[in-house]
Amino acid sequence: MSKATQSEAETGVTLEIDGREVQARDGQTILEAAREAGIDIPTLCEHANLSNVGACRMCLVEVDGERNETACTTAVQDGMDISVDTDELWNHRRTMLEMMFADQNHYCMYCEMEGDCELEDMFNRAGLDSSRVPLEYPDIEPDTSNEYVTMDLDRCIGCGRCIRTCDEIVGNGTLNFGNRGRETTIVADDDVPLGESSCISCGSCVQACPTGALYSPLSAYKGRERDCEVETTTCSECSVGCELEVFTNSGRIVKIEGNEDGPAGGQLCEMGRFELLADGRERITEPRVDGETVDLADAIDRARTALTEANGVNAFASDRLPRETLEALSETLSEYDASVEIPGAERAALESDVLAALEAELDVETADLLVDSLHDIEDSDTLVVYDTGIVETHPVVASYVRRAANGETTLVTIDDGTDRLERFADHSIELDAPTATVTEQVTDVFEAGTEALADAAIEDVVDVSLELSGDATFVLGPDVDDAETMVDVFGLAATSDNDVLSLGPGRNRAVADVPTDDLEADAEVAYLLAADDRGEDLDRQIELARGAETVIVQATRESALTEIADIVLPALDWFEREGTTVDADDDQRAVERVLDPRGEIDSDREIIAELQEVAA
Amino acid sequence: MSAQTDAEAQDNDRTTVATVCLGGCSGCHMEFLNIDHGLVDLVEDVDIVASHMIVDEKGVPEADIGIAEGVVTNEENVEVAEALREHCDTVVAWGDCAALRGIMSLRNYQDRDEMLEETFMGEADDESEVPFGDDEGIPKLLEDARPLDEYIDVDVYVPGCPPDADVMKESLEALARGETPEIEGDKLQYD
Ligand code: SF4
Ligand code: SF4
Ligand code: SF4
Ligand code: SF4
Ligand code: FES
């Protein structure tokens, strides 16, 4: 982390950089002071949010005319006289660059990074037009074992940005330097192919790599950054609600990156960075009835008739959709004899009930029981994670947990299946009993004080109880679905004056405000607002479709579901939607249109509203 | 004086330029033609005495400036490169291949003979042979393709695959004025 975060009150120092007087703060590096003063010092291995290691020597500066230091690792001192832009320093830099060029195989004309490459820019700045160092031509095979991240160490300059990103930002520690000495290269785990390593394919190292050594085949050769427009929106894949920076060029998406100024430090997860781009299913652009393409008005007419005439309607809506779309659906369905199911709604409702009960019982404010911000959990002394499935369902929060555990925080994990955070946990509690049992005992022990420790039936309970002395946060994963566990956890948080972060299965917490009900067993019509759902969500909808006589599907792409639908209406893709979504810490997040819709419709909401009109 | 001697006098004032293509794809020479109308202005200052796309001269004549495109990849390239150095005062490496190795050196990652076998698919019939270059007529491939300055001294580098026509023109004009061309900033490129 930056050394610049010290308090402003600290003593100021004055130094001179290339003849300019610069004010700096004690503890800042020369690089930080220069940047604040708007003076450019060339860098390669330094990167936003990462520690500084002084590996590339591009930031070499002359101090007091007598010695050269790397500006990224040297602290300012009062009265320093710094030179950056001298011929001698550029000669040093050029020599370093020639060694990087000669050591590996840089063929810019067919490199995916060409045009966006920081190394190439540096070659240009240093005026590298030939190499005085004999060229090596090392024979290095690219590692294509990971579906989304290609590692072509042919172009690696050993700056270590990827290693530090995986370690300090993602908290995963997959990458390392291997084969010491001249043979030093980047390796995954104990030098296994990336696709077989502990890598979670978050792509954060790809974003951090200054060269073409790490890239995603999903984005390769689709265009240079400078020819792209960038729109930001909110990820629809889980309730962390990461901000996506979507790069587009000529109406198509080139790549998705994370915001480096945000709390996640530029990271996204596999779902947000890659899977959103990798949906290869055919797009639905036109409405269909009984397999024939029809006018939108006709399709809507048919759907209205089916909804009106049905003895009952079972509806399902994707929780990837914005609040406004879900509300429109709710309103339309209120005109019919309909029930609606939305993933995550059940858990959200249960949670509200539990919180309401506790509020009355224990005299606490719900707001005091919930974490203020997702990111704050890193500051806890103890983290207790119920259900480590968050590694798959809420990966960026899982990275906060790992980062904290890699630091001072004590991590306790409680899981009844595979503990996916075992590598990072101080205490890993495997459950054969329901989670509630453990928490109940913890609660007992906690309330009774230390003398109860000896009596605790589960040894691990002792660990948890002991850890609750400082600031603790309880993280509830998506699989926690019983009222008992929830009461216990929230109750324990209330009595121990701690917070809970609830990560339910719902991607959009706005589902809590949309009334849902149990579906009818014999409803004749299924109205499925599938959007771009896939996997389990789609399976559930197929199950509902099978039980109905008439199936209305509103979907973005073709699937087994649209194949069995009687009426198919097109739906927007994630990058075409607009509205708001509510993330796990109850923030309203904007869903922005990135590209204009390709299909025949401009708004899911309007179609839903039109379905309502007839019924009256 | 007659008109002819005027022209001769002008000829003698002009800087002579010879360009050769070593192991290259002729892309640099093609880009040179992209100077387009500018070539008409250029030949007021320079006299192109050899350049396989412009004049019919197969050898490497004496010239003030000798320009080479391509890597040194076979025995003939070595001879031509050496002749260029010998016959010209200033030697220019044009393009990534000559300056930095470029696309042609991708073959360095393979065994030379295996690569030839594979490229020519063995012997197609009784009459044909894989051109290993052991006989007269076809220059033998070197073990590796390497940039020009690993064989001869190079005075000026103009990288790029190919360099921009404008950069080629400006650098030639500078050389004709007796200056060292400054190729930096936007003019420097590797693609
Ligand atoms: S990594 Fe950069 S310098 Fe190396 S080949 Fe690619 S664009 Fe060129
Ligand atoms: S993709 Fe993510 S987990 Fe995998 S090596 Fe890169 S930073 Fe680490
Ligand atoms: S792979 Fe990229 S980020 Fe990692 S050390 Fe090599 S150049 Fe640096
Ligand atoms: S953590 Fe959640 S919100 Fe963030 S990128 Fe991954 S799926 Fe999207
Ligand atoms: S940026 Fe300072 S050594 Fe690399």
Side-chain angles (χ1 to χ4, degrees), chain A residues 153 155-162 186 209-211 213-214:
Chain A
L153 296 179
R155 303 161 183 150
C156 171
I157 54 168
C159 69
R161 266 157 62 161
C162 54
I186 307 297
C209 178
T211 73
L214 287 168

Side-chain angles (χ1 to χ4, degrees), chain A residues 463-481:
Chain A
D463 294 329
V464 186
S465 318
L466 284 176
E467 301 300 353
L468 294 181
S469 45
D471 263 350
T473 306
F474 300 92
V475 180
L476 284 183
D479 281 352
V480 178
D481 57 2

Side-chain angles (χ1 to χ4, degrees), chain A residues 48-332:
Chain A
N49 308 319
L50 300 179
S51 60
N52 290 316
V53 290
C56 72
R57 302 185 68 75
M58 283 305 113
C59 67
L60 214 59
V61 293
E62 194 187 85
V63 181
D64 300 332
E66 53 192 24
R67 59 184 206 276
N68 291 342
E69 302 276 7
T70 46
C72 68
T73 54
T74 309
V76 288
Q77 272 166 28
D78 204 35
M80 263 184 173
D81 182 10
I82 308 281
S83 308
V84 181
D85 208 12
T86 69
D87 285 350
E88 197 200 323
L89 287 168
W90 274 110
N91 273 339
H92 277 301
R93 293 182 192 122
R94 184 178 155 152
T95 305
M96 294 302 301
L97 287 164
E98 280 178 4
M99 272 150 67
M100 293 178 201
F101 183 83
D103 242 13
Q104 309 295 338
N105 301 306
H106 296 279
Y107 295 93
C108 300
M109 50 288 209
Y110 5 85
C111 177
E112 121 72 15
M113 197 65 167
E114 196 286 321
D116 291 333
C117 175
E118 291 177 42
L119 180 64
E120 184 193 19
D121 285 350
M122 207 56 79
F123 286 164
N124 270 315
R125 286 183 66 182
L128 184 115
D129 58 2
S130 60
S131 177
R132 289 166 296 186
V133 182
L135 305 175
E136 293 268 346
Y137 305 99
D139 195 354
I140 301 166
E141 281 289 312
D143 178 351
T144 56
S145 59
N146 181 308
E147 189 180 354
Y148 298 130
V149 179
T150 296
M151 207 183 210
D152 191 350
L153 296 179
D154 245 7
R155 303 161 183 150
C156 171
I157 54 168
C159 69
R161 266 157 62 161
C162 54
I163 298 178
R164 281 174 285 145
T165 300
C166 192
D167 182 31
E168 297 167 18
I169 303 277
V170 190
N172 211 48
T174 299
L175 301 175
N176 266 299
F177 283 118
N179 313 326
R180 299 280 153 179
R182 281 215 58 196
E183 302 291 298
T184 300
T185 59
I186 307 297
V187 298
D189 296 337
D190 302 328
D191 202 2
V192 297
L194 195 63
E196 291 161 30
S197 72
S198 59
C199 169
I200 53 170
S201 305
C202 71
S204 307
C205 52
V206 173
Q207 184 171 331
C209 178
T211 73
L214 287 168
Y215 63 90
S216 174
L218 287 179
S219 305
Y221 304 107
K222 280 198 176 157
R224 296 172 186 177
E225 262 183 27
R226 66 164 175 270
D227 302 324
C228 285
E229 285 169 43
V230 186
E231 179 67 78
T232 58
T233 186
T234 306
C235 178
S236 60
E237 296 301 297
C238 88
S239 61
V240 180
C242 295
E243 185 177 313
L244 306 179
E245 293 180 348
V246 189
F247 289 69
T248 64
N249 176 349
S250 320
R252 67 172 184 178
I253 298 176
V254 171
K255 66 173 170 182
I256 302 175
E257 291 204 333
N259 175 4
E260 285 171 9
D261 299 325
Q267 70 171 316
L268 294 172
C269 76
E270 181 177 15
M271 297 186 276
R273 193 186 298 268
F274 297 130
E275 283 178 5
L276 283 176
L277 289 184
D279 196 338
R281 295 174 297 168
E282 201 186 323
R283 189 69 198 269
I284 295 167
T285 53
E286 291 167 329
R288 276 200 312 260
V289 173
D290 297 332
E292 301 291 329
T293 302
V294 296
D295 284 344
L296 186 59
D298 291 345
I300 288 176
D301 252 356
R302 287 291 296 270
R304 282 164 178 162
T305 313
L307 289 168
T308 314
E309 288 173 2
N311 69 339
V313 177
N314 277 342
F316 181 102
S318 166
D319 57 338
R320 290 181 164 90
L321 293 166
R323 167 205 288 280
E324 293 77 1
T325 310
L326 296 174
E327 282 170 354
L329 176 80
S330 188
E331 202 167 309
T332 288

Side-chain angles (χ1 to χ4, degrees), chain A residues 518-552:
Chain A
D518 292 338
L519 300 186
E520 308 281 340
D522 57 352
E524 285 166 356
V525 170
Y527 172 26
L528 311 167
L529 188 47
D532 58 334
D533 271 355
R534 45 200 175 265
E536 276 174 27
D537 304 309
L538 203 59
D539 293 344
R540 171 68 181 144
Q541 292 173 74
I542 291 169
E543 188 186 327
L544 293 176
R546 292 233 163 89
E549 276 164 39
T550 306
V551 178
I552 307 165

